[in-house]
Amino acid sequence: GGMNGGGGMNGGGGMNGMRNTSHLNASTSSASTTTISSPSSSSVPPLKEGDQFIPSAILLKKSATQPPPRLSEKDLITKMESHGIGTDATVAEHVQKQLDRGYATKDPQNLTFWPTRLGEALISGYRKMGLDGLWLPDLRGKIEDAIRSVAEGRADKEGVLRQALRAFNEDFRAAQSRSQVLVEEMARFLPRQVGGMVGRGG
């Protein structure tokens, strides 16, 4: 009989009855959700459709996905370097600036970074506004690469400056025209602070 037979989970024999008498059809087993122990082995024996065997136990395991680990200071610096952001002399200043502005906090014990509600609100707002360049590292990396080119004599300072100003000016105008989206995200992540500002006419 199957799992719903006389010795199955819904039958009169209960789990003990299933342990002794139930058969599991190979075509209906699910290795991703069920762990099956056979009498002679801790793993599922080789089976083909239609084969049957007597399990000694059936255990259903429940699991959930886990968020990625928080960035450590070392990991953050490595990612900044991979995008060409900062130098040995300035990378610590870049990191500290994010902390000073309240975008993130750093756990003093394991040196991992956690976004604040303000940091989350800004990123969510920029994404909904279509302004990923304001928070993704690509634009900053390109600008710093252009600055290095100027320092090494491979690019013209005025030309690099014009390109950078043009890029930021476009983002600034877009942010102005879509500012309500950012206000709404701020209110969603920081309801008390934004509500108080609106109440005071801020």
Side-chain angles (χ1 to χ4, degrees):
M3 292 185 68
N4 293 329
M9 294 181 68
N10 296 330
M15 288 293 290
N16 290 332
M18 181 181 68
R19 181 181 297 274
N20 295 325
T21 62
S22 291
H23 291 74
L24 185 67
N25 193 294
S27 64
T28 62
S29 64
S30 176
S32 62
T33 58
T34 306
T35 300
I36 304 173
S37 298
S38 66
S40 59
S41 174
S42 60
S43 60
V44 179
L47 297 171
K48 63 180 182 295
E49 187 172 348
D51 286 350
Q52 292 185 337
F53 75 103
I54 300 176
S56 60
I58 297 179
L59 304 175
L60 300 179
K61 293 185 177 181
K62 184 178 181 180
S63 61
T65 58
Q66 298 294 322
R70 299 294 178 179
L71 280 179
S72 67
E73 189 166 20
K74 179 181 178 181
D75 293 334
L76 177 59
I77 292 174
T78 298
K79 286 184 176 294
M80 291 173 65
E81 291 175 346
S82 69
H83 286 91
I85 297 176
T87 64
D88 291 341
T90 63
V91 66
E93 179 184 348
H94 287 321
V95 173
Q96 187 60 45
K97 189 174 293 183
Q98 310 312 307
L99 299 174
D100 293 342
R101 291 177 176 176
Y103 300 154
T105 59
K106 183 170 70 172
D107 188 319
Q109 294 184 337
N110 55 27
L111 301 181
T112 55
F113 293 91
W114 294 74
T116 62
R117 299 294 284 176
L118 173 60
E120 290 181 311
L122 285 172
I123 290 178
S124 180
Y126 290 151
R127 292 183 69 176
K128 289 188 175 182
M129 295 163 74
L131 297 174
D132 287 338
L134 295 181
W135 70 275
L136 288 174
D138 306 288
L139 179 59
R140 180 59 182 262
K142 290 178 181 178
I143 290 176
E144 294 210 17
D145 182 60
I147 292 174
R148 282 190 291 270
S149 296
V150 172
E152 296 169 0
R154 295 184 287 108
D156 174 64
K157 175 184 175 181
E158 295 302 322
V160 168
L161 184 60
R162 282 195 301 271
Q163 290 180 350
L165 289 175
R166 186 183 304 115
F168 282 116
N169 186 51
E170 290 175 358
D171 284 342
F172 177 73
R173 291 181 181 278
Q176 277 189 316
S177 65
R178 306 167 199 166
S179 60
Q180 185 58 34
V181 175
L182 187 58
V183 172
E184 291 171 356
E185 288 305 286
M186 286 291 180
R188 186 164 70 91
F189 282 89
L190 302 163
R192 292 184 179 180
Q193 292 88 327
V194 175
M197 291 174 61
V198 173
R200 295 192 301 269

